[in-house]
Amino acid sequence: MGTEVDYRDKLVELENIFKTMPTYEDGCVSTKDFQNLVIAIQYERTEEQMQAYIAYWDKYHGGKISLKEYLATCSCIYKTSEYARQYAILADVDKDGFISSDEFQGIAALMRTHDSRLAGKSFAEFVEEADTNRDKKVSIDECTAWFEKQMNNSV
């Protein structure tokens, strides 16, 4: 396990790589650069995963990957709870603190490339499993806990 300094150095390195992408502008890169970015940071992804990420960023984030979201995701790759939280935050496209049906479908399609057991999971099933306070809505915290449970069960 690396030290805190190693971790910060790695984030600086990732930021510098991000900023070298041809479409880098105003703190974002286009999804056209996603495959090159993944190759540059030496983060192995299947072709299916690459296409799912690109489709997600195109549909829900206008084809732009922000440096802030990229670094937040990269910073927690090896911490399941933080990784789950970042996916939950990313899923909440309208930033209302809850995951809508459309937001769930978008992020679930992306997550299915990592765990095929999510295939066919409906929004109703997601709400049933994730809505712990039974208010018929799934908050960021509830979504985080659900994603973390899914990730831990896939190991």
Side-chain angles (χ1 to χ4, degrees), residues 1 7-8 17 21 34 42-43 57 59 74 87-88 91 93 103 114 118 129 131 138:
M1 196 61 116
Y7 173 75
R8 284 191 299 248
I17 291 169
M21 295 293 108
F34 184 69
Q42 299 175 349
Y43 191 55
W57 287 102
K59 182 174 181 178
C74 287
Y87 268 101
V93 176
E103 290 168 333
H114 297 281
L118 293 175
E129 293 172 14
D131 180 24
V138 178

Side-chain angles (χ1 to χ4, degrees), residues 9-32:
D9 289 346
K10 185 64 174 172
L11 287 180
V12 169
E13 178 186 340
L14 294 172
E15 179 177 354
N16 289 336
I17 291 169
F18 187 91
K19 289 179 176 179
T20 66
M21 295 293 108
T23 61
Y24 179 76
E25 182 179 342
D26 296 329
C28 295
V29 296
S30 165
T31 54
K32 293 174 185 161

Side-chain angles (χ1 to χ4, degrees), residues 78 80 116 120 132-133 138 153:
Y78 302 107
T80 302
S116 61
T132 57
N133 67 2
V138 178
N153 287 339

Side-chain angles (χ1 to χ4, degrees), residues 110-128:
L110 180 59
M111 291 192 72
R112 278 184 204 109
T113 67
H114 297 281
D115 185 349
S116 61
R117 291 177 301 151
L118 293 175
K121 183 75 72 171
S122 72
F123 181 68
E125 290 170 310
F126 166 67
V127 172
E128 178 65 29

Side-chain angles (χ1 to χ4, degrees), residues 5 22 28 32 46 55-56 70 72 75 77 83 87 92 101 109 112 114 131-133 139 142 144 152:
V5 174
C28 295
K32 293 174 185 161
T46 67
Y56 175 80
Y70 162 78
S75 71
I77 289 171
Y83 200 60
Y87 268 101
D92 184 23
S101 177
R112 278 184 204 109
H114 297 281
D131 180 24
T132 57
N133 67 2
S139 69
E142 289 170 322
T144 297
N152 288 335

Side-chain angles (χ1 to χ4, degrees), residues 36-50:
N36 293 330
L37 181 61
V38 170
I39 290 166
I41 65 171
Q42 299 175 349
Y43 191 55
E44 293 184 27
R45 290 277 155 243
T46 67
E47 184 60 29
E48 178 187 20
Q49 289 169 332
M50 296 280 255

Side-chain angles (χ1 to χ4, degrees), residues 99-110:
I99 308 304
S100 70
S101 177
D102 187 53
E103 290 168 333
F104 170 74
Q105 294 307 321
I107 203 69
L110 180 59

